[in-house]
Amino acid sequence: MKSLTGAEIRQKFIEYFKNKGHVHLPSSPLVPYNDPTVLLTTAGMLQFKPIMFGTEKPPHSRVTTYQKCFRTTDLENVGFTARHHTFFEMLGNFSFGDYYKDEIIPWAWEFLTGELEIPKDKLYVTVYLDDDEAENIWREKVGVPAERITRRDGETNFWAAGETGPCGPCSEIYYDMGPHLDKGLTPGDDDDVRYLEVWNLVFMEFNRQADGSLEPLPAKNIDTGMGLERIASVVQGKASNYETDMLQAIIEKVKPLAAPGMESNPRYTTALQVIADHSRASVLLISDGVQPGNEGRAYVLRRVMRRAIRFGHFIGINEPFLYKLLPTIVELYPNYPEVKAKGEQIRESILLEEERFHRTLNRGVKKLEEALAELGGAKVIPGAVAFELYDTYGFPLELTQEIAQEQGLSVDLPGYKTAMQEQVERARAASRSNLDMGAHVVGFAPTEFTGYGELKSDAEILACLETNSHELRRLVLNRTPFYAESGGQVSDHGVIKAGAHVFEVVDVQKVGEVFVHVIRGDEFGLLQPQISVVCEVEQSTRRETMKHHSVTHLMHQALKDVLGDQVKQAGSEVSHLQTRFDFSYNRAMSAEEVQKVEELVNEQIMQNHPVQTQVLPIEQARESGAVAMFGEKYGEVVRVIGMGDYSKEFCGGTHVPATGVIGSFKVIGEEAIASGVRRITAVAGQAAYRYSRQNEELLKSLARDLKVPFSEIPGRLSKLQENLRNQEKELKQLKSKLALHQVEELASQFKPRESAQGSTQGSTQGSAQVLVTVVEVPDSEALKQIADALASRQAQSLVLLGAVIADKVNLVARVSPELIQAGVQAGAIIKALGPVVGARGGGKPEFAQAGGGSDPSGLDKLSAALSEYLQGVGI
């Protein structure tokens, strides 16, 4: 088996299917496009669901991808088993009404046994109960023995998108991990550990109806999926995915962070694996726009990060550390450029969440100490206390047990489970009543928003409402300076002070005209109606958010100026870190167009236009030329933001007083997010300054390495590239010359063709000279030159040469005119012998060649195969 890195396996897979006529499409983000049925991308086929369901026409009939995936169904098992992960990559190839079983089954086998050189006797397959067609292909076309094929029922070998819709049988390929793991089970059994599933081939041919009946689809589709981490463990000979290069690099970075002596801790290995998986998952989630929070995918991210932090605690890591792993993860995933591009944002998000959770843990320790002090002489911590620590402070049960054990105490586990069940019931009830947050704020007067003019306001509490978490509350005030998320602008953060107590504002949502503040703290009993509080918005964050919001208006107009009025806003997200603007457009922007947008926006910034605010009747606002914002609903009176004569839009967001305050503007990304929809990401203010500084440091480093001033870097790089091309050309010529030097030695290896009786055959055939050998050459042209040179040394000759060039087996055959007259043809030889090395080709009677061979081991069989072929044609 070849020793390959995960990155090399990924690339081999893509190249293999590109050679089979597939188009390589990029991974879709972990946040699915326009699919409310799932929080996160869980499989490679997710982005193709509309095609599978027949609601969208496929852009290509053959597609291959490596897809970022995220699953949390078995979160508690991650780190404890060899295979469970949250984030993983799925290698896949898809056919939309093109090829079917006859093609994909042999291709899958060829890739595994040829490209990856997995021994054939280590592979087993399963097929659906009545799928005779698939089994026959495996047995007759591929050559898998019947004893290594198992028929399985619909539990494992029939795939369906749901209760109704596209579905079909599947065939799974398993790798035998070794007889030492044998439990008397077969591939696909639930408790089996010997046979590892590595690839699932789904044959999508039916449409399941509401009554359960199956109707044939108009077109049959193929959907395959192979977990990259799993196949890497097979190729690298590792018993666990965590031992592969894709996760070991992270684990090695975590080890020095653990406290001395932790290697003997029974949780040590598990903790390392949890941290490796969860840190990687967190980075990839944040790079796709997810931020830690308390709902939906934001809560998934927070839960994963906090689990990693808790396991860090188990091995003595008691300070923020996940952010230190970011550079290693960036290096591991150059194929996802968004990870590197958003590195600073990812670092800030991770560090902020770590610091926040460490504060939470500290509060939990304090609460536990108080609970221990109240025990008196009791030796058992009540289950309700242990659960409160978990539910309110994120304090894991294991940590409570660990501290209790140190003091000779135990935890009431039945009481803990009872408290958890009660919380589940409360959550169910709350979820029913929380379907609409508005149910909690009916009857309250509209909140007065003071945040346009001030960032600190006195206010009066109207209500403090419970949430599903003991750690959070929803606070309704009569007035507030906190901006509520709307119009693409994220909510403000900051604090609300009630006397000496401080509560953190983590989110603000708007229900009608009522602002609902989501706050974190621990003394919620103080927050009673009519109590006065002081609201303070975090100034630096609001200031940078304002810059990004104002610059988004300028960018919107600049896009129209450069690309035309067909540009329509399709969404946006404005924060203190960046602005992300989605717009309708049917092609990628050119570098020149992006540059022009930057120039136009920066020109408007430098003109320092006053930012004017008007409140107008909606019809008057429309007549003034103001542009409505995407996805917003408006009343009879609207707020209009104008920037000189350049931009005028409906907008309720917060803005700078003049465009000059923005400072500068830079586009950092432009990409497609859906058919006909582009996304442009840009930075302004402090974020633009940091971006420029990062690039400047990069240029300084490059200039130092090249030993030239900034201005000469392009010329120096061009010269280096030219030198490299010349050296590669010279090296190729030298290799060709060295290859030709083999001719003298090889010429002595010609052998006369013997008859079946052992004597040299008479006439033309009796003097035939045959040479079969393997040579080392740089390219196919050198292989041909050697064959020609050897043939010229012998009359009535047959030369068959093999070589491995760029990991592919190549063959050439050269036949002299005398042997052609005797019935020997080079083209026929290549067609007959190409399959021995997994190659295909052909040619003329005197010369033929084959390439793309996937089985180098077949080179050793060439001589015997040629002899058998010649005997078969009577030579």
Side-chain angles (χ1 to χ4, degrees), residues 111-132:
F111 180 79
L112 293 175
T113 62
E115 294 294 313
L116 301 185
E117 298 185 4
I118 296 175
K120 296 178 180 179
D121 61 2
K122 297 283 283 183
L123 296 176
Y124 291 72
V125 297
T126 62
V127 297
Y128 184 56
L129 278 176
D130 60 2
D131 197 348
D132 296 332

Side-chain angles (χ1 to χ4, degrees), residues 371-675:
L372 293 176
E374 294 173 0
L375 284 179
K379 295 293 184 181
V380 180
I381 298 175
V385 173
F387 180 73
E388 181 185 357
L389 287 167
Y390 169 75
D391 192 42
T392 304
Y393 302 100
F395 214 68
L397 174 63
E398 297 86 353
L399 192 53
T400 301
Q401 290 175 311
E402 183 180 293
I403 295 173
Q405 186 177 5
E406 291 173 355
Q407 301 192 31
L409 306 174
S410 62
V411 176
D412 172 20
L413 291 180
Y416 177 88
K417 292 177 181 177
T418 299
M420 177 173 281
Q421 185 59 40
E422 290 173 353
Q423 169 63 357
V424 168
E425 295 302 324
R426 285 195 300 270
R428 286 174 179 165
S431 65
R432 289 191 291 270
S433 62
N434 285 351
L435 289 174
D436 179 8
M437 191 190 299
H440 292 280
V441 296
V442 172
F444 288 115
T447 306
E448 178 191 353
F449 179 58
T450 63
Y452 290 135
E454 60 186 28
L455 298 182
K456 181 178 180 181
S457 299
D458 295 329
E460 182 181 297
I461 296 175
L462 300 182
C464 183
L465 309 171
E466 289 192 1
T467 69
N468 291 342
S469 169
H470 287 303
E471 185 183 354
L472 302 173
R473 291 292 186 274
R474 290 175 177 151
L475 197 62
V476 181
L477 307 173
N478 66 330
R479 61 202 304 266
T480 182
F482 288 98
Y483 184 81
E485 181 180 350
S486 60
Q489 180 177 326
V490 301
S491 71
D492 284 327
H493 286 199
V495 296
I496 293 177
K497 298 178 180 179
H501 289 80
V502 178
F503 301 89
E504 181 185 4
V505 177
V506 297
D507 190 18
V508 186
Q509 295 294 321
K510 198 174 179 183
V511 181
E513 297 301 316
V514 178
F515 287 53
V516 181
H517 306 75
V518 181
I519 60 172
R520 177 183 286 115
D522 53 11
E523 295 289 342
F524 295 121
L526 298 171
L527 304 178
Q528 298 298 321
Q530 300 182 350
I531 293 294
S532 295
V533 294
V534 177
C535 304
E536 296 182 9
V537 175
E538 188 175 299
Q539 295 187 28
S540 61
T541 301
R542 162 71 88 84
R543 183 169 56 246
E544 297 306 313
T545 301
M546 289 164 61
K547 293 175 184 178
H548 280 112
H549 200 153
S550 296
V551 89
T552 301
H553 286 215
L554 296 176
M555 179 173 63
H556 188 186
Q557 185 57 50
L559 286 167
K560 289 178 175 289
D561 291 345
V562 174
L563 302 179
D565 287 337
Q566 67 267 41
V567 169
K568 303 294 182 185
Q569 183 181 351
S572 67
E573 183 181 73
V574 176
S575 72
H576 67 290
L577 296 174
Q578 66 179 31
T579 176
R580 194 182 70 199
F581 187 81
D582 302 338
F583 61 98
S584 57
Y585 201 60
N586 57 11
R587 65 168 175 82
M589 294 176 66
S590 67
E592 293 76 16
E593 288 169 337
V594 171
Q595 182 177 344
K596 184 62 177 175
V597 168
E598 287 181 346
E599 291 173 352
L600 287 172
V601 172
N602 280 297
E603 179 182 338
Q604 298 304 317
I605 291 172
M606 287 185 285
Q607 289 187 19
N608 198 25
H609 299 298
V611 175
Q612 301 167 331
T613 302
Q614 294 177 287
V615 178
L616 302 171
I618 190 167
E619 289 305 320
Q620 185 179 342
R622 288 194 176 113
E623 291 171 2
S624 73
V627 178
M629 297 293 285
F630 170 80
E632 288 296 295
K633 295 181 180 179
Y634 299 100
E636 295 181 359
V637 177
V638 296
R639 190 166 177 263
V640 176
I641 301 297
M643 300 180 190
D645 295 329
Y646 192 70
S647 168
K648 183 182 286 188
E649 295 189 8
F650 291 23
C651 185
T654 60
H655 290 271
V656 296
T659 59
V661 176
I662 296 169
S664 63
F665 167 81
K666 179 67 181 175
V667 174
I668 62 173
E670 193 273 345
E671 60 185 335
I673 61 167
S675 178

Side-chain angles (χ1 to χ4, degrees), residues 156-199:
T156 59
N157 280 75
F158 196 92
W159 184 92
E163 294 296 324
T164 61
C167 57
C170 61
S171 182
E172 297 174 328
I173 306 174
Y174 290 80
Y175 177 81
D176 184 0
M177 299 292 288
H180 64 287
L181 297 173
D182 189 67
K183 296 172 66 175
L185 301 173
T186 59
D189 285 347
D190 286 342
D191 297 324
D192 177 63
V193 293
R194 175 175 178 176
Y195 302 102
L196 176 67
E197 180 195 341
V198 294
W199 204 345

